[in-house]
Amino acid sequence: MTTLAGHQHTTARWATAWTQLLEAHMTPALLAEGRTLLDGPTNALQVDQGFASTKITTHAGELRPRIDVPQLTETEWDAVYEAIAAQPHIITSARTQAVTDLLTDPQHTAGIPILPAAEELTFTCSCQPEPGPCPHTAALGQMIANRARTVPIVLFTLRGRAHQHLKTYLRRRGNTAAQPQPAPTSPETLLAPPPVFAQTVPAQDARYRPVYLPHTPPLAGGPTTPVLESVTEQPPASCPPLQALSALVHAAADRATELLNGVPDPSAGLAADLARFTASTPGESYTEQAAHQLGLPYAQMRQLTAAHRCGGNAAVETFLYTTDPGPEILAQAEEAIQPLRPSPFATLARDGNRLTDPAARIQLRYGPDRRWHPYIEQFGDWRVVPEPHSDPARAYKAARAALRR
């Protein structure tokens, strides 16, 4: 544990506070019954903006408990971020998934509680027609507490914003902070002779000095086996399982091959790295773990994966962030797509780098790669589709083709 201004950096208080919310609604016997259910077959915990859910298999069939909480508003989240950024002793922890439990106290978050009040929780389950606590929601609530004990960022998602947004905010704020200026150089320093070692080897000799590689004996004939595939023993418990390590190595090897072949690598951070991994064949089965690592809802992680498949790291960044490319670029795009619109007199909406045609259920997003990334509306959400293009008309046609499929 590290110390934050006299406070040991822990995450336990998140789980304790969440458990107290459950205790305000549930008897000890009901909570004990929920703990018993956790010993049986349960599906993964799904945490989304405003609610958490899971599936529990019982003798009566598969049940779906759910806990809903109100989300913080955009204004409230902005105030929370400002308050965190103003406390240097908290910032380092706030950038990790083990966010310090100091933030359970609203005095550190601009008076806005990240944890909901007890009366704000709503419990529903397919085992009963009316809302209210039941053994299955008790099990779900304790799944959230167990997760929050070590990874409290799930509570940020539950309240409306994934932790990734906070990390991005702190990174950008840090990048715009004033940089320390170097100390002025005195005339004596400027006139001082160069170090002796700099005079011992002429520059041209140092630059072209040959490097001799050690002799490598020839490989024995016959097929070879990759080192990792010859390992059968599981690594220590603190490491990922062998199957996950193998998937990471294969994904890294694929990326190394791309780099050797000249495929560019515009980095968009951890989210893009994980999306690239889950978009690969070895990493596809680890989508849920990647969502957990980023503190994102599972559905949003699947969207990130789809974005990477459609357009690489730039598509991931375009999915996550809204930017301002300027009115001229949007105006040119409007003009380019106007002849293609099925309802040419319907309103077009602009929002940062996003140009939306609601009547056609199409949205184009201008990315950092200077391409337009097509999206289509499905079930009230925007879904990325291939292929991005520098020509907005081509991207619009791609979206229309995706709607027809």
Side-chain angles (χ1 to χ4, degrees):
M1 298 181 188
T2 57
T3 301
L4 298 177
H7 169 82
Q8 283 194 319
H9 166 38
T10 68
T11 59
R13 201 183 304 171
W14 291 103
T16 302
W18 177 261
T19 302
Q20 290 171 348
L21 297 180
L22 299 178
E23 291 171 344
H25 291 271
M26 303 175 183
T27 65
L30 187 58
L31 288 168
E33 192 173 350
R35 281 192 293 273
T36 302
L37 288 173
L38 293 181
D39 296 332
T42 59
N43 281 44
L45 172 66
Q46 302 291 339
V47 178
D48 213 319
Q49 294 171 335
F51 71 91
S53 62
T54 190
K55 297 177 185 177
I56 298 178
T57 303
T58 69
H59 65 278
E62 188 177 78
L63 300 173
R64 297 172 180 265
R66 171 171 165 149
I67 299 176
D68 287 76
V69 303
Q71 300 180 47
L72 297 181
T73 66
E74 294 294 309
T75 302
E76 288 173 328
W77 272 120
D78 291 343
V80 169
Y81 285 8
E82 287 286 344
I84 293 174
Q87 302 172 80
H89 62 289
I90 285 179
I91 290 177
T92 300
S93 161
R95 288 193 176 107
T96 71
Q97 62 181 1
V99 178
T100 173
D101 56 14
L102 281 175
L103 298 183
T104 59
D105 186 344
Q107 73 172 349
H108 294 290
T109 55
I112 301 166
I114 294 178
L115 283 161
E119 62 271 15
E120 294 179 312
L121 271 62
T122 303
F123 304 88
T124 56
C125 183
S126 56
C127 75
Q128 57 190 18
E130 299 296 329
C134 69
H136 314 107
T137 51
L140 171 60
Q142 289 170 95
M143 290 175 72
I144 298 172
N146 293 339
R147 180 73 61 85
R149 198 175 307 281
T150 54
V151 190
I153 58 175
V154 297
L155 298 175
F156 284 65
T157 300
L158 195 60
R159 288 287 262 168
R161 271 196 189 174
H163 179 245
Q164 183 71 21
H165 289 271
L166 174 60
K167 291 170 62 177
T168 301
Y169 173 85
L170 293 175
R171 183 178 70 247
R172 290 179 174 175
R173 185 182 176 99
N175 290 342
T176 57
Q179 300 295 321
Q181 298 297 317
T185 305
S186 66
E188 292 79 7
T189 304
L190 290 173
L191 297 175
V196 174
F197 69 82
Q199 303 173 356
T200 56
V201 179
Q204 63 271 22
D205 292 346
R207 181 176 180 183
Y208 296 110
R209 178 176 293 177
V211 177
Y212 298 99
L213 297 176
H215 173 70
T216 303
L219 294 173
T224 59
T225 302
V227 173
L228 191 63
E229 292 183 10
S230 65
V231 177
T232 57
E233 184 178 351
Q234 287 291 338
S238 58
C239 299
L242 185 61
Q243 184 181 6
L245 289 175
S246 178
L248 288 169
V249 168
H250 282 292
D254 290 342
R255 186 60 194 140
T257 302
E258 292 176 351
L259 291 173
L260 288 172
N261 291 332
V263 179
D265 185 33
S267 176
L270 177 61
D273 286 340
L274 285 174
R276 181 170 58 206
F277 175 60
T278 54
S280 67
T281 301
E284 188 172 8
S285 59
Y286 294 94
T287 303
E288 184 180 332
Q289 290 90 329
H292 171 69
Q293 181 72 20
L294 291 175
L296 295 176
Y298 177 73
Q300 193 170 0
M301 188 66 225
R302 290 191 63 181
Q303 280 276 54
L304 281 183
T305 302
H308 197 281
R309 288 189 178 125
C310 291
N313 286 0
V316 172
E317 191 164 350
T318 305
F319 176 85
L320 288 173
Y321 309 120
T322 303
T323 58
D324 183 12
E328 290 185 5
I329 289 178
L330 291 174
Q332 292 170 2
E334 283 189 21
E335 183 179 354
I337 69 173
Q338 185 61 27
L340 305 173
R341 299 176 61 206
S343 303
F345 298 107
T347 303
L348 283 174
R350 293 185 184 185
D351 180 19
N353 60 331
R354 301 176 181 186
L355 184 61
T356 306
D357 188 351
R361 297 167 48 214
I362 291 175
Q363 183 181 88
L364 301 183
R365 302 184 186 183
Y366 190 69
D369 54 352
R370 299 184 179 180
R371 295 191 296 173
W372 290 94
H373 296 253
Y375 283 71
I376 61 174
E377 187 270 326
Q378 282 191 335
F379 309 109
D381 198 10
W382 291 106
R383 181 170 69 86
V384 61
V385 295
E387 292 274 344
H389 203 280
S390 57
D391 180 358
R394 295 278 295 274
Y396 192 92
K397 288 180 180 178
R400 291 201 64 183
L403 282 169
R404 289 193 295 267
R405 288 195 289 269

